[in-house]
Amino acid sequence: LRALSMPEASARQLQHGRPLLTPSVSSARSLCAWQSQHGRALLAPFVPSPALVVNAALDMLQLMTADVFLDLGCGDGRVVEAALRRGVGRAVGVELSLELALAARKRVRAALRSRSAASAEILQADFCAAECASVLHSASALYIFLSPAGARFASDLSAPRAPALRKIVSCDFPLLDDPRWRLEESRRVMDLELFMYARSNSH
């Protein structure tokens, strides 16, 4: 997928009569102004997470075998693969693009060859849709590299929707101020900022 400029994205959206949900872009920050005009059209642009960022994010999450790791907008599955190779018991990725979901499944199959006790799944779906409710309900650790709208979605993951969720790492976009989530650490890696949140004890 090549990068789409904002005018190109707008033109293609009008041509097909529907929002673009996962275009590849050169920088997630470049979406901010465009997204403010188009509402929820872009929750998870495909901006691959560099390996250094992936490793730092997983260090911050401190995954254990008992965790269920979830990557919303998983792209080509590189973060799901890395979580499996670090020993997490179950890892799930959700990706809207069929092309990227197929690439992610290939990565995950390769990682599972050395992890016979682990399980993994790549769902090709809109992570706001009903079919993703069960994975949100069981996830204990979450990684997101979305957009401002996507960070707003994650900020609203409260106990009824995600009762097991205890930790979130958001790349480049902080969650909204919310008493349910407490910022525990921020870390600069390359030109990206990682924010690690823990669920507040009172929520």
Side-chain angles (χ1 to χ4, degrees), residues 1-41:
L1 293 176
R2 68 181 182 84
L4 291 175
S5 68
M6 294 304 103
E8 286 177 314
S10 299
R12 187 172 297 183
Q13 182 182 27
L14 291 174
Q15 178 184 355
H16 292 281
R18 59 179 174 80
L20 290 170
L21 291 174
T22 52
S24 175
V25 292
S26 58
S27 169
R29 291 191 186 92
S30 68
L31 293 170
C32 296
W34 191 89
Q35 189 173 37
S36 68
Q37 301 173 26
H38 294 271
R40 189 180 159 277

Side-chain angles (χ1 to χ4, degrees), residues 2-202:
R2 68 181 182 84
L4 291 175
S5 68
M6 294 304 103
E8 286 177 314
S10 299
R12 187 172 297 183
Q13 182 182 27
L14 291 174
Q15 178 184 355
H16 292 281
R18 59 179 174 80
L20 290 170
L21 291 174
T22 52
S24 175
V25 292
S26 58
S27 169
R29 291 191 186 92
S30 68
L31 293 170
C32 296
W34 191 89
Q35 189 173 37
S36 68
Q37 301 173 26
H38 294 271
R40 189 180 159 277
L42 291 170
L43 284 181
F46 179 46
V47 184
S49 299
L52 287 175
V53 173
V54 172
N55 288 332
L58 296 179
D59 286 345
M60 294 166 79
L61 283 172
Q62 298 181 337
L63 296 174
M64 298 182 292
T65 304
D67 276 314
V68 177
F69 172 77
L70 175 61
D71 182 1
L72 291 179
C74 70
D76 61 8
R78 64 186 63 197
V79 187
V80 177
E81 175 193 24
L84 287 168
R85 295 192 186 282
R86 283 188 175 226
V88 72
R90 178 162 173 75
V92 180
V94 180
E95 173 55 48
L96 183 64
S97 163
L98 175 59
E99 181 181 3
L100 290 172
L102 291 174
R105 287 169 185 161
K106 183 176 180 180
R107 277 181 178 266
V108 165
R109 282 195 299 270
L112 285 174
R113 291 191 190 109
S114 60
R115 292 290 320 284
S116 58
S119 66
E121 183 178 11
I122 301 295
L123 295 177
Q124 194 257 312
D126 181 339
F127 58 67
C128 296
E131 61 261 39
C132 292
S134 63
V135 297
L136 285 171
H137 195 267
S138 62
S140 61
L142 172 67
Y143 173 76
I144 53 172
F145 186 7
L146 301 176
S147 65
R152 286 195 294 274
F153 173 85
S155 300
D156 196 41
L157 290 176
S158 56
R161 300 178 68 192
L165 190 59
R166 293 292 175 264
K167 296 176 285 187
I168 298 175
V169 167
S170 179
C171 182
D172 229 23
F173 296 104
L175 304 188
L176 298 180
D177 288 336
D178 191 309
R180 293 169 294 188
W181 294 104
R182 178 181 68 255
L183 178 63
E184 291 212 329
E185 183 183 355
S186 62
R187 190 181 298 186
R188 190 79 175 172
V189 183
M190 300 174 65
D191 63 340
L192 298 171
E193 192 84 15
L194 293 171
F195 304 91
M196 205 285 281
Y197 297 85
R199 191 186 291 279
S200 297
N201 292 332
S202 58

